Amino acid sequence: MIFPEDFVWGAATASYQIEGAVKEDGRGQSIWDTFSHTPGNVADGDTGDVACDHYHRYRDDIGLMRELRLGAYRFSVAWPRIQPDGEGSINPHGLAFYDRLVDELLAAKISPYVTLYHWDLPQALEDRGGWTNRDTAYRFADYAQAVYDKLGDRVTDWATLNEPWVAAFLGYGNGVHAPGRRDPADAMRSAHHLLLGHGLAARRLREAGARSIMLVVNSAPVLTPAQVNDPSAAPSEADAAATRRIHALLTRQFLDPAVYGTYPEEVLAAAERNGGTGHIQDGDLELINAPIDLIGVNYYNPCVVESGPGLPADAAWPGSEDVKFAAVDAPTTAMGWPIVPDGLSRLLVRLSEDYPRVGLMVTENGAAFDDAVEGGRVHDDDRVAYLDGHLREVHKAIEAGADLRGYLVWSLLDNFEWAEGYRRRFGIVHVDYATQTRVPKDSALWYRDVIGRNGL
Ligand code: FCB
């Protein structure tokens, strides 16, 4: 099973999850510092204070990437390192870190994929309303410009936002993520302002000369329980309506405005019921509809729903009244997430049909398992099976005509898994947090060989 010649193979991480060094070189506070230091928010009281200490160990980590033959590395820039107060003057020491990182990657012949926002909003902006405040979108565009001005001579591949659905609906809806607010109207507003920030930043990057710009979404095929194991199962009209609505809230809410400059009616209806649509100003959709080159797809598991008459909306899903989020009949990872590899091919084919003029890239896919180091090795056969299964589906999607440019495994390293802290290990490289020792798991060695063969 051979992949296209120029297929991009790599791995992904995010700033707050790996860097540590939260007080170094003038970095300001982010909402994740505040949130993780508030008792009760993160499992075991974990914080990103030290994480993988990547801020100091990035050279060795790039050495590891080289050994694993990675062609691409997706990382994110911590906004509070660049603008400690979220606006105004630029901290040159913060930019210098990413400058060194990019140079080191290029020297190792690894293409940097830079994500500008992977959830670590400067706390100073949250104090002024965070993403519920329209002004944050404009501040984001200024920050994006500052990063581009420093790195744009060497970085060709840019992502504006990572998973705006999660930032808005877990951050401001059910409060499981920073800043931990719980208000459906705030979540709807935040989603729109995140999109506005994406559009404004994408325009600025494009004008400055960026070659490739993407928006990264957490997406999933929305299926009925019967469709999980039988794609051809015909749903009832009520179940089909439930899947359509949740698909609109999860995926079309972000991709339709970005690609077509329109909101699905289900999203407008959800906004109407939760604070109204007054925050969507004339001209916003034109701004959001800035041309993008790629949709970044983060896939872990399908979303399974059925009609649930009388049920209230889930806190993370304003507009999901009368929908039941159903259990899935499939084995699960340590996160409890069902393993459904062909959900990935179904998703990629659907996205390629719905957004045919935009390329696709799998910007995250991977799994947490309870790994253990034994005799200097980590035999994570379950992760190898997960990755192998999903890569076969990636290949299937390409054969079916999806314009899929690459695959980035989540994650290079075990890291701070947000509200789950360090107890969930997603890395293909094991990290012993007490000693910061890195041990490539069997999955890393397997992935290296996949990359070497450009296939399975
Ligand atoms: C995604 C996030 C990423 C990581 C994985 C497991 O939602 O983008 O940071 O936590 O899930």
Side-chain angles (χ1 to χ4, degrees):
M1 196 175 271
I2 296 299
F3 285 74
E5 213 176 302
D6 50 359
F7 194 74
V8 176
W9 296 99
T13 64
S15 47
Y16 190 71
Q17 296 182 275
I18 63 165
E19 286 178 359
V22 292
K23 298 225 163 91
E24 233 151 303
D25 294 336
R27 177 184 178 279
Q29 195 172 324
S30 82
I31 56 174
W32 270 96
D33 297 297
T34 313
F35 186 80
S36 66
H37 278 271
T38 306
N41 284 337
V42 176
D44 305 323
D46 289 340
T47 74
D49 287 4
V50 179
C52 306
D53 194 32
H54 173 77
Y55 192 77
H56 299 117
R57 295 168 193 265
Y58 71 93
R59 280 207 173 82
D60 291 345
D61 289 340
I62 291 170
L64 216 45
M65 295 179 211
R66 199 207 318 240
E67 283 169 30
L68 298 179
R69 300 181 159 191
L70 301 190
Y73 173 55
R74 172 178 174 240
F75 62 92
S76 77
V77 174
W79 186 349
R81 288 198 193 281
I82 311 305
Q83 287 179 304
D85 297 321
E87 64 176 324
S89 62
I90 303 299
N91 171 25
H93 307 294
L95 277 178
F97 169 67
Y98 299 103
D99 195 51
R100 296 194 295 275
L101 183 67
V102 164
D103 281 344
E104 192 80 15
L105 285 166
L106 293 173
K109 302 211 164 27
I110 299 168
S111 303
Y113 280 67
V114 176
T115 302
L116 288 161
Y117 186 71
H118 202 126
W119 309 347
D120 38 4
L121 184 73
Q123 180 63 39
L125 293 183
E126 177 58 27
D127 294 343
R128 274 172 266 149
W131 287 108
T132 66
N133 181 353
R134 183 178 174 89
D135 188 57
T136 298
Y138 292 87
R139 301 287 70 78
F140 176 66
D142 288 348
Y143 148 74
Q145 176 86 59
V147 177
Y148 188 88
D149 288 347
K150 184 73 177 177
L151 306 179
D153 58 337
R154 284 152 293 154
V155 173
T156 55
D157 295 274
W158 296 84
T160 53
L161 309 174
N162 179 68
E163 301 189 354
W165 185 89
V166 173
F169 293 98
L170 302 193
Y172 296 83
N174 72 3
V176 168
H177 279 193
R181 288 160 65 177
R182 294 190 175 91
D183 182 315
D186 284 348
M188 294 302 300
R189 286 174 72 85
S190 296
H192 180 71
H193 294 148
L194 279 153
L195 278 166
L196 184 60
H198 156 77
L200 294 168
R203 268 159 215 280
R204 298 273 279 273
L205 297 184
R206 185 75 69 195
E207 277 159 24
R211 206 193 63 194
S212 178
I213 299 173
M214 68 176 151
L215 174 61
V216 175
V217 293
N218 51 302
S219 194
V222 183
L223 311 172
T224 61
Q227 287 175 325
V228 174
N229 294 311
D230 176 9
S232 66
S236 70
E237 191 37 56
D239 285 350
T243 60
R244 269 199 305 276
R245 178 144 48 98
I246 297 304
H247 177 70
L249 295 174
L250 176 64
T251 298
R252 293 183 56 208
Q253 171 158 210
F254 298 94
L255 295 183
D256 283 19
V259 178
Y260 297 121
T262 57
Y263 267 124
E265 62 187 51
E266 292 91 339
V267 171
L268 293 173
E272 281 298 354
R273 281 199 298 278
N274 293 283
T277 53
H279 59 283
I280 305 172
Q281 297 187 5
D282 284 351
D284 281 3
L285 282 160
E286 287 74 26
L287 290 172
I288 294 167
N289 181 211
I292 53 173
D293 304 279
L294 293 177
I295 295 167
V297 181
N298 295 352
Y299 172 78
Y300 292 93
N301 51 260
C303 182
V304 181
V305 302
E306 58 196 330
S307 157
L311 288 175
D314 183 286
W317 298 88
S320 69
E321 291 84 353
D322 307 312
V323 172
K324 180 177 172 200
F325 289 85
V328 180
D329 179 19
T332 58
T333 68
M335 294 289 279
W337 295 350
I339 302 172
V340 184
D342 78 350
L344 181 53
S345 52
R346 291 194 239 177
L347 173 65
L348 293 169
V349 169
R350 165 99 195 243
L351 293 175
S352 70
E353 287 167 0
D354 288 357
Y355 308 100
R357 290 193 297 277
V358 189
L360 298 171
M361 177 144 183
V362 175
T363 36
E364 288 182 27
N365 174 243
F369 291 106
D370 295 325
D371 305 312
V373 184
E374 294 160 30
R377 299 283 301 272
V378 178
H379 300 300
D380 58 340
D381 302 348
D382 35 18
R383 184 173 291 100
V384 171
Y386 181 101
L387 297 176
D388 179 85
H390 285 75
L391 280 172
R392 285 174 195 278
E393 297 299 325
V394 165
H395 194 270
K396 201 196 279 175
I398 296 171
E399 304 251 275
D403 178 11
L404 191 76
R405 313 288 176 81
Y407 176 92
L408 309 179
V409 68
W410 184 271
S411 180
L412 177 70
L413 303 170
D414 290 338
N415 61 47
F416 176 80
E417 177 46 36
W418 310 113
E420 296 295 328
Y422 296 101
R423 66 182 181 175
R424 297 291 176 248
R425 295 181 173 274
F426 273 93
I428 55 172
V429 175
H430 184 275
V431 177
D432 177 337
Y433 296 107
T435 61
Q436 293 295 344
T437 307
R438 274 76 161 138
V439 173
K441 303 177 190 176
D442 286 357
S443 58
L445 307 178
W446 172 86
Y447 191 48
R448 176 196 62 196
D449 294 345
V450 170
I451 297 172
R453 284 195 300 270
N454 195 35
L456 292 164

